[in-house]
């Protein structure tokens, strides 16, 4: 019985590790949160996520697209227009993102705060 429980825990951690490999890029959570508000062009995303370097944003968008979280749509305009949006898989992640936000609020996780609050 104990062995089965341990195996289930390992599988659970394995699932979490798989998710973190997909979303592990430093800015992935911010990109998903921003795209959850609707379609964005690259420049709009970059403006809204001003703390993210251009190359980092490009890398995160590519990684999320490769993993089926973000959709990249190219329009044949001059110059070419590219819009990014969340796929169904990406939209499904919004609930988990909200739970992370709730956890951060509960424990008052803020930039620069490293201590637990009672």
């Amino acid at each position: 019985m104990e062995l089965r429980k341990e195996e289930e825990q390992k599988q659970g951690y394995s699932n979490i590790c798989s998710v973190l490999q997909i979303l592990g890029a430093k800015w992935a959570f911010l990109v998903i949160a921003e795209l959850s508000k609707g379609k964005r062009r690259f420049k709009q995303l970059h403006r809204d996520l001003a703390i993210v370097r251009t190359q980092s944003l490009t890398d995160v968008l590519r990684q999320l697209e490769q993993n089926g979280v973000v959709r990249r749509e190219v329009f044949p305009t001059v110059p070419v227009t590219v819009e990014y949006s969340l796929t169904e898989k990406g939209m499904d992640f919004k609930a988990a993102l909200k739970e992370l936000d709730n956890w951060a609020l509960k424990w008052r996780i803020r930039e620069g705060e490293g201590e637990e609050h009672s």
Side-chain angles (χ1 to χ4, degrees):
M1 211 50 162
E2 189 66 33
L3 186 61
R4 181 172 172 88
K5 191 179 232 180
E6 193 173 302
E7 284 299 316
E8 287 175 1
Q9 279 184 329
K10 283 182 184 177
Q11 180 62 37
Y13 296 143
S14 175
N15 291 339
I16 291 169
C17 288
S18 297
V19 170
L20 289 176
Q21 284 180 342
I22 293 171
L23 303 173
K26 184 174 181 178
W27 304 110
F29 289 95
L30 286 178
V31 171
I32 292 170
E34 193 60 39
L35 289 175
S36 72
K37 300 173 188 174
K39 292 181 179 184
R40 297 284 191 276
R41 293 183 183 173
F42 185 87
K43 292 279 190 194
Q44 290 171 306
L45 265 176
H46 194 249
R47 235 185 341 263
D48 295 340
L49 302 172
I51 60 172
V52 182
R53 289 186 3 240
T54 304
Q55 187 60 51
S56 296
L57 181 57
T58 299
D59 293 344
V60 169
L61 286 167
R62 280 187 187 140
Q63 179 186 9
L64 293 174
E65 183 184 8
Q66 288 171 353
N67 286 294
V69 176
V70 167
R71 177 182 304 108
R72 180 179 185 264
E73 193 171 358
V74 180
F75 297 94
T77 57
V78 178
V80 173
T81 301
V82 179
E83 282 187 347
Y84 294 92
S85 59
L86 293 179
T87 61
E88 183 180 349
K89 184 178 183 179
M91 292 297 282
D92 202 35
F93 188 71
K94 283 171 49 174
L97 202 57
K98 183 64 180 159
E99 286 303 312
L100 286 170
D101 188 51
N102 289 340
W103 182 82
L105 287 171
K106 177 180 178 181
W107 294 102
R108 302 183 199 287
I109 305 297
R110 298 280 185 264
E111 190 174 321
E113 288 185 19
E115 298 178 21
E116 288 185 24
H117 296 274
S118 305

